[in-house]
Amino acid sequence: MNPDIKRERENATFDVSKLTNILDQGQEKTRRRREIESLVFKDPDFNEQDPNFLSRSERYDQAVRKSAQMILKLREFGIADPEEIYHYKSCVHPDRPSPLDLHLAMFLPTLVNQATTEQMDRFFTAAWNLEIIGTYAQTEMGHGTHLRGLETTATYDPATQEFVLNSPTVSSIKWWPGGLGKSSNHAIVLAQLYTLGNCHGLHAFIVPIRDMNTHEPLPGIVVGDIGPKFGFNEVDNGYLKLENVRIPRNNMLMKYAKVEPDGTYLKPKSAKLTYGTMVFVRSMIVGESARALAKSCTIAVRYSAVRHQSEIRPGEPEPQILDYQTQQYKLFPLLAMAYAFTFVGQYMTKIYHRISGDINQGDLSELPELHALSAGLKAFTTWEANSAIEVCRMSCGGHGYSRSSGLPDIYVEFTPTCTYEGENTVMMLQTARYLVKSYRQAKEGQQLRGIVSYLNESHDRRLQPQAVAARPTVVDINDLTSLVEVYKLRAAILVEMAAKSIQQELQHRKSEEDAWNSSAIDLVRASDAHCHYVVVKVFTDKLGEIGDTAIHSVLSTLALLYAMNGITKNSGDFLLAGLLNVPQVLQISVRIKELLSQLRPNAVALVDAFDIHDKKLNSVLGRYDGNVYEQMFEWARSSPLNATEVHESFHKYLKPLRSKL
């Protein structure tokens, strides 16, 4: 054990294992998670070559092999709980996506959410046993987040009781679905439904795309891999062109919407019910933001504890770079964010399951809130985490640029979350639509419930300049409850400003659509403020569940740092709205420095509490034992370029140059 990191752990003021249990939501869950991790990490069937030294084809091949082994092992051990399957998979493919991700995370859940009982009997067991390997084909070359713009068609033919699917334009070719290129034999295809001459919008269809025995593409199916991407080298993201592909009528998922044999269309109770899979995945992505950031912070904080650099006082030994205030200012707010996102990810999961249960009972009243919350938090957390991962990489200096650090892989595998399952700006605008609608309802006297209940209060007077100037600023900046209130008022004010911007545009005789576009910047700011309020509130509420005094103390410090750092980053909002005054903002900047100093002794312990196994972290810089330099040298020596002392290119190209001099 590196002596620096050993000393850091000895100086911690709380029990790391107890905090791990809190993060895992129970001691038994921690025990079971570690048991599952041990099953994977001790299994020689999951040994792999370092993917950094493999070609893309080799990486895909290795990932498919491990995925197949994973399915066999899950059956052998009887692991069927979705949470446990997730833990197992995250150890088999640490930090990396796999060719079966969409099968497990979208194909199967879509069947569960949208298939009839008869369709479940036909497809689910075969899909669960991987006879059917599926993907979710929604995005097209020309359209992604704007679902109504998708061009793929499914036209019902009453004479044969079949749907005929077509890709009518080059821009309608399905593009990006993971596992589509080479792995899948079925796809859930989102297409515009036409029946009896009418278009009824997007619906989901189960489409066989490859022969179940030979795996060759079926007639009318043009399918393949879209080529190398920024990351996702293990995944065969694919394209799919449909040319008069016929499928039976009962291959349309009909739990909610139906097409009768004669072509009669029966619409669902709510069009949003068909978007259940997207809402589920967006909810999951919030938790993924926390996990990616937790890994990045673990690497950067541990490395900062063992790396010594420069001098604080001339002539004295080089200090740990974690002792520099600038390094603390880079990393500790991100560590606070990782904890905040962990708790908001848990909150999002609970909300999703609760509202989904209500939906299954026929209560759709909270579906709009679930849709808005999942869209907004997905955008907010991925934007923030994406930027934070890069800060962690740069805080590791030059070594952070090496693939051995693990940080480049975390970044390239996480950054697509900002655009898949809904491009983030569009997601924020979807949330804003719900917020503005809620604001207008509150203005009309309706009593709002849920997370937008803060809009029940009218804020007209608050926005008047004279009222802002006269407002007494009595906020206790050291009290989290007061800061939650300030964040809530900021969100309410920005929602109102956005709504008023639309109203002003409408008074200039603009259409609703043009007014919306002309107010889009204000709308995104309102959604961002709303989501920021939710995160601060959830973090603060979580503290009320913590009984251990030492853990409560350190988490309170983190929560204060997260809330205060957010104020300094958005000080203009709080000052212009009269929620805080200049002396208070300056006081917060001073207080942040004090919080950094308070957190310094617990920094390594706080990342240890994430309990990320070295094999899962996959980072030379973030090793638990802190022995960075020895392992970095070993990793470099294993590069294929070092297999021979003299590379063949020397004899082929460089040596001949001498004879031509």
Side-chain angles (χ1 to χ4, degrees):
M1 185 73 67
N2 179 288
D4 286 322
I5 211 160
K6 184 173 184 289
R7 186 174 61 253
E8 295 288 335
R9 293 186 173 116
E10 290 169 350
N11 290 337
T13 64
F14 65 92
D15 187 328
V16 171
S17 61
K18 288 183 179 178
L19 181 50
T20 298
N21 294 338
I22 291 170
L23 293 171
D24 283 334
Q25 302 180 81
Q27 185 175 352
E28 174 57 27
K29 286 196 173 184
T30 298
R31 185 202 65 78
R32 180 57 176 157
R33 174 180 57 76
R34 289 174 175 171
E35 183 178 42
I36 289 171
E37 288 174 354
S38 181
L39 286 175
V40 177
F41 295 141
K42 291 181 179 178
D43 191 333
D45 287 340
F46 292 121
N47 289 343
E48 67 171 16
Q49 290 180 267
D50 189 326
N52 290 299
F53 301 138
L54 300 177
S55 69
R56 180 166 177 247
S57 180
E58 289 169 333
R59 290 178 75 151
Y60 170 71
D61 183 89
Q62 179 167 266
V64 172
R65 176 187 67 78
K66 291 174 68 179
S67 294
Q69 284 292 332
M70 178 182 74
I71 298 302
L72 295 174
K73 303 287 183 177
L74 289 172
R75 293 174 185 169
E76 178 185 341
F77 297 127
I79 297 174
D81 178 77
E83 189 174 317
E84 294 191 352
I85 290 173
Y86 174 84
H87 287 319
Y88 198 95
K89 181 199 164 297
S90 68
C91 296
V92 173
H93 301 285
D95 273 341
R96 298 188 295 275
S98 79
L100 296 185
D101 277 1
L102 260 67
H103 176 81
L104 296 170
M106 296 195 77
F107 189 84
L108 289 172
T110 302
L111 290 178
V112 171
N113 291 327
Q114 297 187 41
T116 64
T117 302
E118 182 271 334
Q119 289 172 326
M120 286 290 284
D121 290 341
R122 282 176 58 211
F123 295 110
F124 188 82
T125 301
W128 182 255
N129 291 331
L130 262 75
E131 298 164 33
I132 287 176
I133 300 175
T135 187
Y136 189 85
Q138 175 175 291
T139 302
E140 297 174 357
M141 192 185 295
H143 287 93
T145 306
H146 180 54
L147 299 183
R148 290 193 300 276
L150 295 179
E151 300 175 82
T152 303
T153 60
T155 305
Y156 184 64
D157 181 355
T160 61
Q161 294 192 23
E162 293 174 315
F163 289 101
V164 185
L165 282 90
N166 273 291
S167 305
T169 63
V170 66
S171 57
S172 70
I173 296 171
K174 294 296 180 184
W175 200 268
W176 278 114
L180 174 62
K182 296 295 175 185
S183 306
S184 300
N185 53 33
H186 281 67
I188 289 176
V189 174
L190 274 288
Q192 303 287 355
L193 167 63
Y194 286 85
T195 179
L196 301 180
N198 297 310
C199 179
H200 297 285
L202 276 188
H203 290 72
F205 302 85
I206 301 175
V207 182
I209 59 174
R210 291 180 180 273
D211 185 278
M212 295 290 282
N213 295 314
T214 66
H215 207 60
E216 292 286 340
L218 293 170
I221 299 290
V222 181
V223 63
D225 178 81
I226 65 170
K229 294 87 57 179
F230 190 39
F232 274 54
N233 289 305
E234 284 78 11
V235 180
D236 52 324
N237 297 86
Y239 60 78
L240 174 65
K241 189 173 187 291
L242 300 156
E243 299 173 341
N244 293 316
V245 175
R246 287 182 171 265
I247 58 171
R249 180 183 68 88
N250 56 8
N251 273 33
M252 171 181 157
L253 292 176
M254 295 199 204
K255 184 175 182 178
Y256 300 116
K258 294 180 175 62
V259 172
E260 300 284 17
D262 65 357
T264 302
Y265 176 73
L266 304 176
K267 67 179 182 179
K269 292 181 182 178
S270 169
K272 287 186 171 65
L273 286 169
T274 57
Y275 300 155
T277 303
M278 285 187 298
V279 173
F280 167 72
V281 174
R282 287 170 189 164
S283 301
M284 289 283 292
I285 289 172
V286 176
E288 288 298 323
S289 299
R291 284 181 280 274
L293 186 50
K295 287 179 179 178
S296 302
C297 287
T298 298
I299 295 166
V301 168
R302 285 180 180 168
Y303 177 65
S304 297
V306 301
R307 176 76 171 184
H308 291 251
Q309 185 79 31
S310 302
E311 298 174 337
I312 292 180
R313 298 179 185 86
E316 291 190 2
E318 292 181 298
Q320 298 160 277
I321 59 174
L322 199 54
D323 285 337
Y324 287 101
Q325 189 184 69
T326 49
Q327 190 77 344
Q328 296 168 16
Y329 189 57
K330 288 176 190 175
L331 295 179
F332 292 177
L334 306 186
L335 181 55
M337 187 193 297
Y339 272 85
F341 287 2
T342 297
F343 296 135
V344 86
Q346 294 170 1
Y347 166 82
M348 190 69 245
T349 300
K350 288 176 184 174
I351 292 286
Y352 173 80
H353 287 304
R354 178 177 63 78
I355 296 178
S356 293
D358 293 342
I359 291 169
N360 289 332
Q361 297 299 316
D363 179 4
L364 308 182
S365 61
E366 293 187 88
L367 180 58
E369 179 175 343
L370 175 62
H371 181 263
L373 192 61
S374 64
L377 284 177
K378 179 266 183 189
F380 181 83
T381 58
T382 56
W383 262 336
E384 291 282 288
N386 194 55
S387 298
I389 293 165
E390 178 66 354
V391 172
C392 287
R393 183 190 69 78
M394 289 191 289
S395 74
C396 293
H399 292 325
Y401 189 66
S402 169
R403 299 292 282 264
S404 69
S405 74
L407 290 164
D409 279 341
I410 295 173
Y411 184 81
V412 299
E413 308 302 358
F414 180 78
T415 196
T417 60
C418 295
T419 47
Y420 69 51
E421 298 314 310
E423 192 277 329
N424 278 357
T425 300
V426 179
M427 292 296 93
M428 283 298 198
L429 289 170
Q430 287 185 10
T431 300
R433 194 172 295 279
Y434 176 73
L435 293 173
V436 170
K437 182 179 179 182
S438 299
Y439 169 80
R440 289 171 175 171
Q441 290 172 337
K443 292 285 286 182
E444 292 167 1
Q446 294 186 41
Q447 203 63 17
L448 302 176
R449 297 185 304 156
I451 199 66
V452 292
S453 59
Y454 65 86
L455 295 173
N456 285 325
E457 225 179 299
S458 171
H459 298 284
D460 284 352
R461 291 180 59 196
R462 184 177 295 110
L463 290 177
Q464 298 301 319
Q466 60 271 27
V468 170
R471 183 205 306 275
T473 47
V474 293
V475 176
D476 180 356
I477 64 166
N478 290 297
D479 178 57
L480 272 168
T481 304
S482 291
L483 295 183
V484 170
E485 184 70 13
V486 168
Y487 270 91
K488 180 179 78 173
L489 293 174
R490 172 195 176 221
I493 289 168
L494 288 179
V495 170
E496 182 170 36
M497 288 176 66
K500 286 191 169 185
S501 173
I502 293 173
Q503 195 59 40
Q504 288 168 0
E505 296 293 340
L506 289 172
Q507 288 170 0
H508 290 108
R509 297 186 177 180
K510 287 189 177 181
S511 66
E512 182 79 30
E513 295 78 11
D514 287 338
W516 185 267
N517 184 45
S518 297
S519 306
I521 295 171
D522 298 319
L523 290 162
V524 171
R525 286 182 64 217
S527 289
D528 183 83
H530 170 75
C531 294
H532 209 160
Y533 157 64
V534 171
V535 176
V536 173
K537 183 179 187 306
V538 167
F539 199 167
T540 304
D541 290 347
K542 184 67 181 181
L543 295 175
E545 303 173 16
I546 310 297
D548 185 288
T549 305
I551 292 175
H552 188 279
S553 175
V554 73
L555 288 184
S556 295
T557 305
L558 279 175
L560 261 177
L561 179 59
Y562 179 75
M564 287 184 170
N565 192 61
I567 289 172
T568 61
K569 299 290 187 189
N570 301 277
S571 57
D573 289 347
F574 296 95
L575 289 169
L576 288 173
L579 299 170
L580 295 170
N581 57 33
V582 172
Q584 286 173 318
V585 172
L586 293 174
Q587 191 181 350
I588 285 173
S589 296
V590 173
R591 187 76 178 98
I592 285 174
K593 295 177 184 177
E594 295 171 357
L595 295 175
L596 298 178
S597 180
Q598 289 174 28
L599 287 169
R600 171 64 186 87
N602 284 311
V604 169
L606 283 166
V607 297
D608 283 353
F610 292 128
D611 199 32
I612 305 170
H613 194 286
D614 274 354
K615 288 193 175 181
K616 205 170 180 180
L617 197 61
N618 203 23
S619 168
V620 167
L621 300 189
R623 292 171 57 87
Y624 184 82
D625 64 13
N627 294 323
V628 170
Y629 300 133
E630 300 88 344
Q631 295 302 317
M632 190 182 298
F633 187 46
E634 288 302 312
W635 186 86
R637 294 185 69 183
S638 67
S639 169
L641 277 178
N642 294 323
T644 59
E645 290 296 334
V646 180
H647 193 267
E648 61 182 354
S649 61
F650 172 78
H651 298 288
K652 289 162 61 177
Y653 309 118
L654 298 179
K655 191 175 181 180
L657 288 176
R658 298 179 182 179
S659 62
K660 296 178 181 178
L661 290 177

